Amino acid sequence: MVTLLLAAVWTGGAFASGPLHLGWAHTRTGERHARPILQPFLLGVLIVAIFCAGAVLVAQVPFLRDLVNNVLDYARFASLPVVAVITLVNGIAEELFFRGAMFAAIGRRHAVIISTALYGLATMATGNLMLVFAAIVLGFVTGLQRRVTGGILAPIITHLTWSMSLLFVLPPLLTALA
């Protein structure tokens, strides 16, 4: 419930800050009239593959494995559909706020680094170093997407692809590696 309240605050703040743009992607023909959909999805899949490869290493280190399992226990022991909805809503809200409103407020110089650092700082409230690490990696990638596309659609798609995939892939992967 607290996560949904936080998502509501981030979403409200993002929309209160002014217009949020979806952004544009380059097409194969060089035109700049396509919404970024496939590229951010594929980038999300690539990041999932990298995190899954990292999970093989993390599974070998009990301290790190326990940190990841603390997060994944919500997916294992709670209602998976409820966790999935919360994951979707929170991912969208985070991108609306951090790559939408905050990114625009920071300005062009250093927006990727500053928004990534603030996203990582906000994630520190969880007390989980693995979540902070994941937030910094994801925040940097989605920050670069925001800079390239000029909007929030690509970061949202990448974030949702990453978070939803890991929600369903990481628990059985870590169980198999244990």
Side-chain angles (χ1 to χ4, degrees):
M1 188 63 168
V2 173
T3 303
L4 290 176
L5 179 60
L6 182 58
V9 169
W10 281 340
T11 302
F15 283 110
S17 73
L20 299 171
H21 304 283
L22 292 177
W24 297 101
H26 295 284
T27 61
R28 286 187 213 163
T29 61
E31 297 173 11
R32 195 167 168 84
H33 300 290
R35 294 289 183 203
I37 297 172
L38 182 59
Q39 293 164 337
F41 171 75
L42 293 175
L43 182 59
V45 170
L46 176 64
I47 297 169
V48 168
I50 292 169
F51 269 74
C52 286
V56 173
L57 299 174
V58 167
Q60 307 308 312
V61 181
F63 171 72
L64 297 178
R65 183 180 59 240
D66 291 345
L67 289 174
V68 173
N69 279 325
N70 286 341
V71 175
L72 296 177
D73 281 348
Y74 291 104
R76 289 185 183 115
F77 303 119
S79 168
L80 192 56
V82 171
V83 173
V85 168
I86 290 170
T87 301
L88 282 170
V89 169
N90 197 55
I92 293 168
E94 288 175 358
E95 294 308 321
L96 289 173
F97 185 78
F98 287 98
R99 259 60 68 190
M102 181 181 289
F103 200 95
I106 294 168
R108 295 183 77 71
R109 290 186 64 112
H110 311 298
V112 173
I113 296 297
I114 293 170
S115 66
T116 299
L118 293 174
Y119 184 50
L121 187 62
T123 308
M124 287 179 76
T126 66
N128 189 309
L129 294 176
M130 293 305 284
L131 271 181
V132 174
F133 172 76
I136 290 170
V137 171
L138 185 65
F140 185 71
V141 169
T142 55
L144 290 173
Q145 284 183 301
R146 168 61 163 88
R147 185 174 70 191
V148 168
T149 66
I152 57 170
L153 183 59
I156 288 173
I157 291 171
T158 298
H159 191 136
L160 294 183
T161 302
W162 175 81
S163 60
M164 294 304 291
S165 296
L166 289 182
L167 177 65
F168 290 99
V169 171
L170 218 47
L173 177 62
L174 286 177
T175 300
L177 293 171

